[in-house]
Amino acid sequence: MTSDERHRRMDAARVRAELTMQELWLRYVALGGTGDAFDLDGYLQALVPLEVFQQDVLAQALNEALEESYLRYCIPLSTPPAGGTGDDRLRRLVDTLLEDQVATFRDRLQPPTADPPEADAAP
Amino acid sequence: MTDSAAGSPAQAGTDPLTGPPPVDLGAALNQMAGLVLSRETVDTALELVTSLAATATAGTLGAAVTLIDEHGKRSKAASNAAVEEADALQYQLDEGPCLTAWRTRELVRIDDTTTDGRWRRWNDAVGQLGVRSVLSTPLVVGQESIGAMKVYCERPMNYGPHDEQIMRLLAGQAAILLANTQSLQEARRLSRQLTEALASRDAIARATGVLLARGATSEQDAFVALASAARQAEQPVQDVARALLAAVVERNTHRAAPARP
């Protein structure tokens, strides 16, 4: 995904998650983003550049919002599925993170999983 | 302390429709000024304005206030069921004195709904509910019309120039009160959201610090690690950060524990 495309997809995600610019900015700030609302608006409209780190924070804010809006539409099953709770998985992941393995942990996850099928695949 | 249903004296005292209503505008205006200071909610303000309008005009059967924001969303209060129904009819039929007062920003008076020809359908409908005379004033703040307040009476020709004057005075104050309460509510909501955002940001910053101490090569590196873990756990980064901090504290506690005899 080119950087050109990235801001466009981020703005599409913002609309999809039904967020106003202010709501998105608040989520981004909550994740540690340091840009102001003007920076974000300008970036999403391709008017000003945004640091790669800040782009990642913004992407995470959008992903969480998308996930929440998706879960709002999900229909729960009549019986909750058996098996371990998400808490166990979270604890294991946290343990991995803490075992002085930050770098290896990250490497193992790279490259990030490809995004869902894209219609605009270049010929 | 139980609320016995058999005639609580406080109830009779607050009912604007029973006792002789003291027309004391000074007290009414003071009460509204106090409400701003005591930071009440929009609903409380609506109820207060409604009951003040009912007590300040003689012979009033009921009163109602409707606020209309820029999205067309309405919040309202009515002193009794008949008024509420009469009010709802205006929006169903999309015609009536309050909608006109709100749109034109001018006071509207109906002396008799059975003879007034301006809102034929609405007049017919509320005539059957026993509403005969109506006085409706717009609530205007600055350049903006934010709604309307109205009083109804079951007798024709109940309201005159004196009531118009009272309603104008009351509406001027009520509009300011309601507009302030609305912006106050909005400000409080924003402040709560900001506080939550800062708490999350704190947790993430501390977790980032922990990862830096454990070998992450940059803040970005640490953030990406947290975000990756969040994706795997299908949880928000904030929760991963909190879990990580809790785990660190737990480990340190364990490490400290064996030192005790």
Side-chain angles (χ1 to χ4, degrees), chain B residues 120-171:
Chain B
R120 208 50 275 163
R121 287 183 304 161
W122 186 78
N123 281 338
D124 286 348
V126 298
Q128 287 166 17
L129 291 172
V131 171
R132 292 293 291 276
S133 43
V134 181
L135 193 58
S136 178
T137 28
L139 294 165
V140 180
V141 179
Q143 301 295 312
E144 203 187 343
S145 181
I146 63 167
M149 59 191 275
K150 49 269 177 181
V151 285
Y152 298 106
C153 179
E154 81 276 31
R155 290 189 304 272
M157 315 292 286
N158 187 63
Y159 302 113
H162 178 65
D163 300 292
E164 288 188 5
Q165 183 60 14
I166 287 178
M167 280 291 274
R168 275 205 187 92
L169 279 169
L170 208 51

Side-chain angles (χ1 to χ4, degrees), chain B residues 8-19:
Chain B
S8 145
Q11 220 166 4
T14 51
D15 191 345
L17 302 179
T18 48

Side-chain angles (χ1 to χ4, degrees), chain A residues 22-23 25-34 52-53 56-57 60 63-64 67-68 86-87 89-91 93-103 105-106 109-110 112-113 115, chain B residues 190 193-194 196-198 200-202 204 210-211 213-217 219-240 243-244 247-248 251:
Chain A
Q22 200 202 350
E23 286 163 344
W25 176 74
L26 206 58
R27 281 174 172 273
Y28 158 87
V29 165
L31 292 183
T34 52
V52 176
F53 180 17
D56 283 348
V57 177
Q60 181 65 27
N63 286 342
E64 288 184 6
E67 181 75 20
E68 276 173 36
D87 285 356
R89 201 157 25 133
L90 181 58
R91 200 164 303 133
L93 279 158
V94 163
D95 285 341
T96 319
L97 268 177
L98 285 174
E99 297 307 324
D100 269 355
Q101 286 177 337
V102 175
F105 179 80
R106 192 165 62 93
L109 288 169
Q110 302 263 339
T113 47
D115 291 297
Chain B
L190 191 62
Q193 285 179 333
L194 266 175
E196 283 167 7
L198 287 179
S200 153
R201 194 182 163 96
D202 265 357
I204 292 169
V210 169
L211 292 180
R214 291 183 180 249
T217 55
E219 282 184 49
Q220 184 175 0
D221 195 23
F223 181 80
V224 169
L226 283 175
S228 306
R231 175 172 287 196
Q232 290 219 316
E234 293 172 1
Q235 305 239 9
V237 169
Q238 179 188 171
D239 292 359
V240 174
L244 183 129
V248 170
R251 285 174 183 215

